[in-house]
Amino acid sequence: MHFLDQAKIFVRSGAGGPGAVSFRREKYIEYGGPDGGNGGKGGDIVFEAVPGLNTLIDFRYTQHFRAPRGKGGSGSNRFGAYGDDLVIKVPVGTQILADDEERTLLADLTTEGERLVFLRGGDGGRGNATYKTSTNRAPRQHQKGWPGEEMFVWLRLKLLADVGLVGLPNAGKSTFINAVTNADAKVGAYAFTTLRPQLGVVRHRDREFVVADIPGLIEGAADGAGIGDRFLGHIERTRVLLHLIDCQDADVATSYRIVRDELDNYGAGLEDKAVVLALNKVDTIDAELVEALTAELTEASGLPVLALSAAGEIGLEAVLDALSEHLDRRDDDDDAEADLSGDEESAAKAWSPL
């Protein structure tokens, strides 16, 4: 399946059905008069976040979505049928953006099963029976159905993951995700082997978490160099970043700063995320050089540095332990915030003026 994380679509809700003009004329029926029913409401446009999807590729082939209109009213005071709602199923983590220069955020579907009535269908028109008054006994006017709403919108997918992998091209990110998860990312000895984000599930010490691998960053990515910073949106929702640095780089400190600068330039909270820093491919150099490069990285970053070889399966346990520790810490912080907000709500509910 091809990966697509952006798509532009057209959506239109259904128009309401027209009201009817009808009169009851039956022999031996004492009370006749107008009996035209109202039209039915048009269908809504509904977005639903569903599990099992991790791409917007379906929207490459279908870009127009129109909900059915309501049916017209009829005689005997019969109302028209409502138009069926059109449910558009999208992956969890999909954002709906306006088609303007700022790409204004309209909705963000981050919860499995979340449904959003995005465009409401038009109401049905009134039949002539509703126009009857004491002075207007035989009205012939009726109302057309209200039109539906329509607009172009952009869909943008931001994958939901716990850990995000960052680093320069050929830092070994794809090899790492293949070694610790069920992913099957392409690995090659050339830059930008990874052209689309990859997701994998880690099972480590009775815990599971999701890792996202994105294409490598180079200097100037925030300005469009290389693949640019387009895919950084897929790690905005992560809770911790794993920054991999190739020990074969000419200057590991410079490699670290290039990626950090691009994260800072992108913003969106990436610069404030917890980071686990690892020196990769250490099986290709001797222990003395590993120690020297580790010290150099620690001085440049102010972070502890883990020695790792994804291909040689060296140091994987230590890295996964460090990631799990950060995730556990975040879980505890989230629980504490939830307890605090719960206590405040309880206190507010406990107070009474009576």
Side-chain angles (χ1 to χ4, degrees):
M1 179 182 291
H2 294 289
F3 181 82
L4 187 70
D5 65 345
Q6 292 186 16
K8 183 180 180 180
I9 64 173
F10 172 81
V11 290
R12 175 192 292 166
S13 60
V21 176
S22 173
F23 292 91
R24 182 177 183 178
R25 297 187 182 92
E26 297 180 54
K27 193 175 183 180
Y28 307 119
I29 300 298
E30 181 177 1
Y31 298 104
D35 65 351
N38 297 341
K41 174 182 171 296
D44 299 334
I45 293 292
V46 180
F47 284 96
E48 181 181 7
V50 299
L53 293 179
N54 58 7
T55 175
L56 298 174
I57 188 63
D58 293 339
F59 298 99
R60 171 172 290 178
Y61 308 107
T62 304
Q63 287 114 14
H64 291 76
F65 298 86
R66 298 179 176 91
R69 66 177 301 153
K71 302 297 183 182
S74 57
S76 300
N77 289 309
R78 288 176 292 187
F79 283 32
Y82 282 23
D84 293 331
D85 294 340
L86 178 58
V87 180
I88 303 174
K89 297 183 178 181
V90 296
V92 179
T94 299
Q95 293 182 327
I96 305 174
L97 310 173
D99 185 29
D100 54 21
E101 293 183 359
E102 294 78 19
R103 293 291 188 269
T104 306
L105 179 63
L106 303 177
D108 195 358
L109 304 175
T110 59
T111 305
E112 183 177 312
E114 184 177 357
R115 289 171 65 97
L116 169 69
V117 178
F118 187 70
L119 296 181
R120 188 179 180 278
D123 292 328
R126 295 167 57 190
N128 70 330
T130 64
Y131 287 96
K132 179 181 177 181
T133 67
S134 60
T135 58
N136 186 10
R137 307 303 295 173
R140 295 185 178 274
Q141 68 263 44
H142 73 290
Q143 190 178 45
K144 295 181 179 180
W146 292 90
E149 302 174 307
E150 64 179 47
M151 65 188 306
F152 282 95
V153 296
W154 282 89
L155 302 181
R156 183 184 182 189
L157 175 60
K158 291 185 178 181
L159 296 175
L160 299 180
D162 300 299
V163 177
L165 298 182
V166 295
L168 295 175
N170 279 347
K173 301 186 299 299
S174 297
T175 303
F176 176 83
I177 198 173
N178 288 345
V180 300
T181 75
N182 55 352
D184 186 22
K186 183 179 180 181
V187 176
Y190 53 90
F192 300 114
T193 307
T194 300
L195 296 175
R196 62 185 182 89
Q198 300 280 346
L199 286 180
V201 179
V202 174
R203 294 175 176 84
H204 178 67
R205 301 192 192 281
D206 298 325
R207 181 188 180 119
E208 290 187 356
F209 54 88
V210 180
V211 178
D213 174 26
I214 63 170
L217 301 171
I218 63 173
E219 188 171 7
D223 298 322
I227 300 182
D229 61 359
R230 170 183 168 184
F231 294 113
L232 282 176
H234 292 291
I235 59 173
E236 283 184 23
R237 305 184 195 269
T238 59
R239 296 189 286 172
V240 59
L241 301 178
L242 175 58
H243 187 167
L244 295 181
I245 295 179
D246 189 350
C247 68
Q248 299 289 344
D249 289 347
D251 188 341
V252 292
T254 298
S255 299
Y256 168 80
R257 282 191 288 269
I258 288 174
V259 173
R260 288 305 310 176
D261 288 345
E262 297 309 318
L263 296 179
D264 292 341
N265 291 336
Y266 181 82
L270 293 185
E271 68 279 12
D272 298 324
K273 290 189 181 295
V275 177
V276 173
L277 186 59
L279 185 68
N280 197 13
K281 306 181 184 180
V282 296
D283 57 336
T284 62
I285 58 177
D286 57 43
E288 184 177 351
L289 185 53
V290 169
E291 185 177 351
L293 293 178
T294 299
E296 183 178 347
L297 266 180
T298 299
E299 182 179 356
S301 65
L303 299 171
V305 179
L306 301 175
L308 167 70
S309 173
E313 297 187 355
I314 300 171
L316 292 178
E317 291 293 317
V319 172
L320 295 180
D321 286 342
L323 294 175
S324 297
E325 182 179 347
H326 280 286
L327 294 176
D328 290 339
R329 190 177 305 135
R330 288 298 303 271
D331 289 341
D332 292 340
D333 292 343
D334 293 341
D335 291 341
E337 290 179 4
D339 291 341
L340 182 59
S341 61
D343 292 342
E344 292 176 350
E345 291 178 2
S346 298
K349 292 179 180 179
W351 182 87
S352 171
L354 301 178

